[in-house]
Amino acid sequence: MTKTLNTFRLTALLAVLASQSAFANTLTYDGFKWESVTTAVSTSAPLDAPVTATPSTGGFNVHIDSGSSFLAWCVDVWQWLGGSNYTYQSSPVGLALDAGKVTLTQAKVDNLNRLASEAYTSINNATTSAAFQAAIWEIAFENSGTYSLASGAFAMTSPSAVTTQAQTWLNNLGNYSPASYSISVWSSPTQQDALVFAHVPEPATYTMLLAGLGLMTYTGRRRKTARI
């Protein structure tokens, strides 16, 4: 029941966020959801290359304007997070990354969805949070169709606990559905883009909800009739 309620709350939040997309919004960083992990990453052609860095990695909380805080994830690597020129997109398909050098295709977004189906509910500490972020970057920037954190357009070499977990998830993407999550994005042409994952309730959930509402209506009508 808690999972279902949280799903509806997040869906409602995204609906509110979407209603603000007609104008530029201010995105504010509220800190990491869990403790971050310092990782060693690099990119190569066609991305900005050769570039290496040791970013603090993991899921983070943000809020838009004066709204409530919510969990989001970086999709770019080298841009800064936050600013006043953010707009909401209900899907990240077509999002240009790294000054247009890479684009999020439908196939990549499907794999991000598979990643969430596999891993999202198991994120509960700094290591798993950083691993999920690493897998997002690998999916977003690798065009070869083969995901390896050890090489390619995006690479992460340490720490091993993060890279091992991320690579395990990446190796098993084909075992999961690409339709269990909705993925939206707060995008900016000059700042870091923020992905938001929301679980899509099973059809049975809607059926039970509608049945419950129908039962409440029927019961109310019976009580009203009995009083007349």
Side-chain angles (χ1 to χ4, degrees), residues 214-228:
L215 179 60
M216 291 171 62
T217 302
Y218 174 72
T219 303
R221 286 176 178 173
R222 287 194 63 187
R223 288 176 178 172
K224 183 177 180 180
T225 300
R227 289 196 297 267
I228 294 176

Side-chain angles (χ1 to χ4, degrees), residues 100-115:
K101 297 181 179 67
V102 176
T103 300
L104 279 186
T105 63
Q106 183 64 61
K108 290 183 178 183
V109 174
D110 285 347
N111 279 336
L112 289 173
N113 201 314
R114 290 185 174 94
L115 173 67

Side-chain angles (χ1 to χ4, degrees), residues 105-178:
T105 63
Q106 183 64 61
K108 290 183 178 183
V109 174
D110 285 347
N111 279 336
L112 289 173
N113 201 314
R114 290 185 174 94
L115 173 67
S117 297
E118 177 182 9
Y120 211 69
T121 58
S122 63
I123 302 171
N124 55 17
N125 57 38
T127 297
T128 52
S129 176
F132 190 79
Q133 179 63 79
I136 289 174
W137 282 332
E138 176 66 20
I139 292 170
F141 291 109
E142 185 55 63
N143 290 323
S144 68
T146 301
Y147 296 131
S148 172
L149 288 170
S151 61
F154 171 81
M156 179 179 288
T157 57
S158 68
S160 60
V162 172
T163 58
T164 298
Q165 179 62 80
Q167 191 63 60
T168 298
W169 286 336
L170 291 166
N171 291 344
N172 294 326
L173 290 180
N175 298 330
Y176 294 86
S177 165

